[in-house]
Amino acid sequence: MKTPEGLKYAKTDEWVKVEGEEATIGISDYAQDQLSDVVYVELMVDEGDSVSKGDAVATIESVKAAADVNFPVSGTIIAINEDLAETPEVINSDPYEAGWMVKIKLDDPSELDDLMTAGAYESYNVEREG
Amino acid sequence: MFTPHTPQEIEDMLNAIGVGSIEELFVKVPEKHRFPELNLPEPLTEMEIAAELKEIASANASTDEFISFLGAGAYDHYIPAAVDMLLRRGEFYTAYTPYQPEISQGTLQAIFEFQSLMSELTGMDVSNASHYDGATAAAEAANLAYHFFRGKRKKVILSRAVNPQYRQTIRTYMQGLEEVEVLGDNTDKGKDVYSEEFLSLIDNDTAIVIVQYPDFFGRVIDYTKLVNIVHEQGALIAFVFNPTALGLLKPPGEFGADIAVGDGQPLGIPLSYGGPYLGIFTTKEKYVRKLAGRLVGETVDESANRAYVLTLTAREQHIRREKSTSNICTNQGLMALAATIYLSLLGKNGFKQVANLCYQKAHYAAEKISALDGYEVVFKDTPFFHEFVVQTPKPVGQINLHLQNHWILGGFNLSEDYPEMENQMLVAVTEKITKEDIDEFVEALQEDTND
Amino acid sequence: MTEKTIYELSQPGRVGVTFPEPDVPLTPSPMGFEREHLNLPELSELDVIRHFTNLSKLNYSINSGFYPLGSCTMKYNPKINEEAARMPGLANTHPFQPIVSVQGNLYIMYQLQEWLQEISGFHRVCLTPAAGAQGELVGALIIKNYHQKNNDTKRVKILIPDSAHGTNPATSSMSGFNVVPLQSDERGNVDIQALKSECDETLAGLMLTNPNTLGLFDENVEEVIQLVHSAGGLVYGDGANLNALLGIVRPGDLGFDVMHFNLHKTFSTPHGGGGPGSGPVGVAEHLNDYLPGPIVTIIEEGDEESPPFFGFYWPEKTVGRMKAFYGHFGMLIRAYTYIAMHGGKGLRNIAEMAVLNANYLKSQIKEDYTLPYDRTCMHEFVVEGSWDKVPAVHALDISKRLMDYGFHPPTNYFPLIVHEALMIEPTETESKQTLDAFAKAMKSIAKEARENPDLLHGAPFTTPIRRCDEVKAARDLVLCCWIPD
């Protein structure tokens, strides 16, 4: 399971990649593996929407499950990954690059402090597996 | 009878379980309420219940003995013998939802064929495996629209010419969505979708507009302009259709409908006093993810054989639980099968023939009735399919009592649902009605007027 | 083994059924509405008969074998039910006939209402809901309307045990409630402490399945109901598992406020390959006025000379109409027939034999499968479909392998609170010999899992088709067959 360094992770399995005031959001390799084959992604936001931490980003459906993805940070949507509608399987094959979901302009970078480092997220996953 | 256990077997089974009596299995049931004496009649044998039911049925007047001009959402069509012969196969009716595709291909392929036939009939992209009936399918259309717009659009607009019971059902279903407003059908103006009053309701807060085709009064309205008006506001439009009419008339898909729903009862399903019927739900591909109810899709098995499975199940309640848009889990499996067999049997030509017969006979009836003193066809400048409204010289209930003496079931009394339509009768004519039947009907009306 | 589709079998110009030529003067089609294309298949009657007969042979059914699909009550469907519903005097009646001309129908419906009330201990029953899920919706809307009429608008929360069917939470949110899951205790009962902590002034109600989906009768059911009532909430009973309670205990006597019946389960009106169901709803007296309509009532009492005269009424504070007309009348006739043939003692026998069968079958397989809750069950029980020693084998593999032994698998992966659940409901109509044969198959599969797990992964081998690619079905959506131009 890949957990790239340099990204921030939420307990609800979203990752955040910060570049200046902008952040890209997706779901972790661990999360896509739990879901198994993703067959559909519905993005619940549009460009220009302002969103708060905890709001729904997307719903992901696999054959056996459906999961909600929530914003781990607040901000304004500057881009959404339109390709996911046609190729949802990239969430499985490339969760950290092609599987990105939205880019936002951060409202409050201090919200990032609540998120985990790659190491902490890995330990958290080991703990969850029991 | 239906439990095979012998006393010896019961004893052996109790021993294997390790209890001394059947009663011991129920010790966790509160003693005070355990084993109530049920006050029910003594059991009947099969022979006795068969006789009793025959006796009960004889208290009814059925369309076997009576000529029926009743429609208003349920229609007396001829059902070819082969339909019921096939429905009676236990492999179909004693199976359940096809959760295990390896041993349910019969049900799955039949539903897949049903979906295909419904898409073709309505001119829409996709059909689901069916809903309970036309009324609940219409309610699910409103539900789909609400969820498609993620709750941002709050108005559900109904034409007053949509079946009154469908409108009531839609209102029941919308109770859970407290901010939704259902409107459009409360005044007489709501019967005309092109009235200024109706059109002025459609705006950017509108989730969906629901119309009927042919409408509840049998009228065939050109909705082309309405569809454009609704789409200009970014809203959806649903057509409630009668499937028989689509054998003759341009389908909802060609008007640009976003959703087309209807009751499939006319497709080989007996009247059965109102149910079980068949809710048809078809839509554009773009809305398929918000569609409630089961869907069957084509795929392959491990040996690359073509196979069918329930698909997009992650929309449904058993996975999504409180986040699913509907709680529906059954479909009308056996009724969908009936419609599939019916349309397969009639085929392209037979089905067109039925639609045309309904149309021709209804027009003959309308002409004969309008020639009677005191009777007049209402909306006479609007085309109709196989139902039309007649202004009668006295209350419809009274006329129908008189007709019953002539072994005729008269048309639907509109004043019960439409107070403004006093002394107006909705007359339906199907292929089963002969010219003689119509002439008899007209004579009986004439006789009643002369009384 | 695959069957062509009706469109692949179609031959242009072939005719199945024809109708008489019009016997009236012709009217031209309405201008501008003519249909140009209608591509229905063209088949002979024999083509159609063969096609659907062939399809039927690809199905597993109760008529062909044991179908222990937990929580679905796949009991034998008596054939007289089918004859009854097709009697021309009943089947060929129009829903808008004057009530004087359908007194036979109304008599059946009235009797069925009365009988369901007697069986369940509820005060009134409405027959209109089309299926169990719609009955649930009625229940949730009744709870909503009841609190609203009492101006108790803070009550927005519905509690649902974690063992519940998915329809319960879906119904609650569809009715505008917030859903709060309630955990189960180690004996499979509602956790009383968890319940107490949720009993506050926002509590609208609890949806409770009893016996629950573990097949267990809640040992504290009266206390659970009492707690909800004391907090001002109502208790909805999911009647999915009523088969276990016929003549054993009446949910109304236990204090439930409202419950749906599944006529297609408990009362043998068949499952129809997924429907039609039928989901009447019963209520305690304080909720009579909230039921949907129409409901059958006696308008004029009868006497020695003449029978009573039946009609319909709408309850005063009704939640509204659930569907067109009066419910699935054809299913109501079947349930009427079934109850009439059983009487009180016969119904109790159903529940007793259903519970006997479940406990017996449990005793026969518990050596080989883990029982997460090992106590006397009701009509069904749940085992774990996996073993620590063979981690690669899952409940799904066991299910698929059962098909090779000629059985329909149990319900898989439900309830969610049991790891790799297999939920087994034998029903009362199965014989000891059938149960023994099934137990033997289960044992044999457990042995195969230990010795040759790959065999299970490949199963089934003997079915018309093998395992399907469900990912492909969902990604490359094909919902409509090839239709020629």
Side-chain angles (χ1 to χ4, degrees), chain C residues 351-422:
Chain C
E352 288 181 344
M353 293 304 112
V355 172
L356 177 71
N357 274 1
N359 279 285
Y360 175 71
L361 186 54
K362 178 162 75 82
S363 75
Q364 300 304 295
I365 66 171
K366 72 179 195 184
E367 252 176 54
D368 295 280
Y369 292 83
T370 307
L371 280 169
Y373 301 90
D374 188 10
R375 62 178 172 98
T376 302
C377 66
M378 296 294 277
H379 65 304
E380 67 189 0
F381 62 98
V382 179
V383 298
E384 287 181 14
S386 66
W387 300 270
D388 290 343
K389 282 182 203 151
V390 266
V393 171
H394 298 283
L396 186 74
D397 302 316
I398 296 168
S399 289
K400 298 298 181 196
R401 184 64 180 145
L402 269 169
M403 297 175 192
D404 287 331
Y405 284 86
F407 297 107
H408 194 285
T411 298
N412 306 171
Y413 299 109
F414 188 80
L416 305 174
I417 57 173
V418 175
H419 177 62
E420 297 280 337
L422 288 173

Side-chain angles (χ1 to χ4, degrees), chain C residues 330-351:
Chain C
M331 300 296 123
L332 306 180
I333 301 169
R334 291 170 171 93
Y336 173 94
T337 305
Y338 186 74
I339 296 171
M341 288 179 77
H342 281 87
K345 288 199 182 70
L347 291 181
R348 178 169 159 181
N349 178 252
I350 288 172

Side-chain angles (χ1 to χ4, degrees), chain C residues 195-462:
Chain C
L195 172 62
K196 279 182 179 162
S197 69
E198 293 291 350
C199 282
D200 55 30
E201 74 287 347
T202 66
L203 178 63
L206 163 72
M207 292 183 97
L208 187 63
T209 310
N210 188 41
N212 64 18
T213 58
L214 299 164
L216 302 173
F217 192 91
D218 196 298
E219 294 163 306
N220 312 313
V221 61
E222 286 183 299
E223 188 187 355
V224 167
I225 292 172
Q226 177 58 40
L227 281 168
V228 175
H229 284 170
S230 305
L234 297 176
V235 181
Y236 181 84
D238 181 324
N241 296 340
L242 187 67
N243 206 44
L245 302 184
L246 297 172
I248 306 299
V249 64
R250 309 194 313 165
D253 293 345
L254 292 173
F256 284 92
D257 298 288
V258 45
M259 184 191 85
H260 79 261
F261 304 78
N262 290 102
L263 298 188
H264 50 290
K265 297 180 184 176
T266 316
F267 300 104
S268 81
T269 76
H271 286 74
S278 181
V281 168
V283 291
E285 195 169 0
H286 54 281
L287 299 177
N288 283 355
D289 290 344
Y290 293 89
L291 279 172
I295 297 175
V296 181
T297 186
I298 292 178
I299 289 179
E300 262 176 55
E301 290 294 341
D303 53 34
E304 279 166 28
E305 301 283 295
S306 53
F309 187 74
F310 298 98
F312 289 108
Y313 81 98
W314 276 88
E316 213 175 299
K317 302 172 191 164
T318 182
V319 298
R321 176 178 285 285
M322 299 311 297
K323 64 183 288 298
F325 313 121
Y326 323 108
H328 287 165
F329 179 65
M331 300 296 123
L332 306 180
I333 301 169
R334 291 170 171 93
Y336 173 94
T337 305
Y338 186 74
I339 296 171
M341 288 179 77
H342 281 87
K345 288 199 182 70
L347 291 181
R348 178 169 159 181
N349 178 252
I350 288 172
E352 288 181 344
M353 293 304 112
V355 172
L356 177 71
N357 274 1
N359 279 285
Y360 175 71
L361 186 54
K362 178 162 75 82
S363 75
Q364 300 304 295
I365 66 171
K366 72 179 195 184
E367 252 176 54
D368 295 280
Y369 292 83
T370 307
L371 280 169
Y373 301 90
D374 188 10
R375 62 178 172 98
T376 302
C377 66
M378 296 294 277
H379 65 304
E380 67 189 0
F381 62 98
V382 179
V383 298
E384 287 181 14
S386 66
W387 300 270
D388 290 343
K389 282 182 203 151
V390 266
V393 171
H394 298 283
L396 186 74
D397 302 316
I398 296 168
S399 289
K400 298 298 181 196
R401 184 64 180 145
L402 269 169
M403 297 175 192
D404 287 331
Y405 284 86
F407 297 107
H408 194 285
T411 298
N412 306 171
Y413 299 109
F414 188 80
L416 305 174
I417 57 173
V418 175
H419 177 62
E420 297 280 337
L422 288 173
M423 184 193 209
I424 304 171
E425 180 181 11
T427 83
E428 73 281 3
T429 55
E430 298 300 332
S431 67
K432 180 172 178 295
Q433 292 73 33
T434 301
L435 302 181
D436 287 339
F438 180 76
K440 200 173 155 203
M442 288 292 282
K443 277 174 180 295
S444 168
I445 293 171
K447 189 161 172 266
E448 287 170 355
R450 289 190 298 271
E451 293 169 0
N452 185 6
D454 279 346
L455 181 70
L456 271 64
H457 295 142
F461 300 97
T462 58

Side-chain angles (χ1 to χ4, degrees), chain B residues 5 35 39 52 61 89 107 120-121 165 168 172 175 178 250 272 299 301 306 322 331 353 359-360, chain C residues 8 19 27-28 33 35 39 56 59 91 97 101 118 144 173 248 274 319 321 325 336 357 466 469:
Chain B
H5 307 70
F35 305 131
N39 181 19
E52 191 201 276
R89 290 195 68 90
T107 296
E120 176 64 23
L121 187 63
Q165 299 204 352
Q168 290 166 13
T172 307
Q175 282 176 46
E178 276 162 42
K250 175 170 147 177
S272 191
T299 186
D301 77 353
R306 181 169 67 187
E322 69 270 19
N331 67 343
Q353 224 184 337
Y359 179 82
Q360 296 301 344
Chain C
E8 289 163 349
F19 289 84
T27 307
F33 293 97
R35 178 149 201 167
N39 213 344
S56 78
N59 268 5
Q97 281 183 220
S101 72
E118 177 64 20
K144 189 182 182 79
S173 60
I248 306 299
V319 298
R321 176 178 285 285
F325 313 121
Y336 173 94
N357 274 1
R466 304 281 302 281
D469 187 345

Side-chain angles (χ1 to χ4, degrees), chain B residues 102-103 105 301 305, chain C residues 1-2 57-58 462-466:
Chain B
E102 296 88 345
I103 49 174
Q105 285 298 301
D301 77 353
N305 290 312
Chain C
M1 207 188 307
T2 51
K57 290 179 185 163
L58 304 179
T462 58
T463 47
I465 56 159
R466 304 281 302 281

Side-chain angles (χ1 to χ4, degrees), chain B residues 117-156:
Chain B
L117 289 167
M118 292 305 113
S119 303
E120 176 64 23
L121 187 63
T122 56
M124 304 295 288
D125 301 333
V126 293
S127 162
N128 73 3
S130 72
H131 281 280
Y132 305 132
D133 70 354
T136 60
E140 292 283 8
N143 203 22
L144 181 153
Y146 175 82
H147 288 284
F148 177 75
F149 293 113
R150 298 191 205 117
K152 287 176 188 161
R153 288 173 174 247
K154 313 273 189 305
K155 283 160 73 174
V156 171

